Amino acid sequence: MRISVLLKTVYIQTYAVDGVTFEFANFITKRFSTENIISTIKEKPSRLIIAYQNGNPIGVAEIIYDSTCPIRKTSVPELSKLYVLERFYGKGIGYGLINETEKEVRQNGFAEFNLEVYIKNDRAIAFYKRQGYTSIGNVDFPMESNTYENLVMNKILN
């Protein structure tokens, strides 16, 4: 349940630029439900990497191994989420999470990693660029009645 709350909190802080719309509330309630998180952990425990402080979750990254790049149409793992509570920005939490996900992906035999990031999330885009990710195109992210433009980024892992 704590991971569900963390994901919802970070999503709202990042993307609720017009407040919490009905569409937005429906999306995060379904996507970040405790049941979905439990299912993800049972399916493949290494898919979620969680950062803790004093035993409490403060950040989470999720890897989707069976993803297809929407630009290149190739099979490549995806960094589906990299969420850190705002209070912990600038403390190396995101850096630690992304390094752990990349290590996990390499250990599973993959040489590259993709992610999608909201085109207006300048802070995250700058962070990913500092980590060596490059833009390879744009794709739409659909919700219920709206779509949001995402940047697709890729990194060749050493």
Side-chain angles (χ1 to χ4, degrees), residues 15 67-71 78-83 113-119 121 124-125 128 133 137-142 148-154:
Y15 300 111
S67 184
T68 300
C69 174
I71 304 300
E78 176 186 352
L79 177 62
S80 172
K81 293 172 193 60
L82 179 62
Y83 291 0
F113 206 18
N114 273 7
L115 61 87
E116 292 181 23
V117 58
Y118 183 45
I119 199 89
N121 190 345
I125 292 168
Y128 293 129
Y133 287 79
N138 295 5
V139 66
D140 285 335
F141 179 81
Y148 302 90
E149 189 176 8
N150 278 355
L151 184 64
V152 179
M153 301 182 84
N154 174 272

Side-chain angles (χ1 to χ4, degrees), residues 3 6-7 10 49-53 56-61 82-85 88 93-94 97:
I3 301 302
L6 183 149
L7 291 169
V10 173
I49 297 172
I50 303 164
Y52 292 92
Q53 179 171 299
N56 299 309
I58 60 171
V60 64
L82 179 62
Y83 291 0
V84 175
L85 289 171
F88 299 97
I93 307 302
L97 285 168

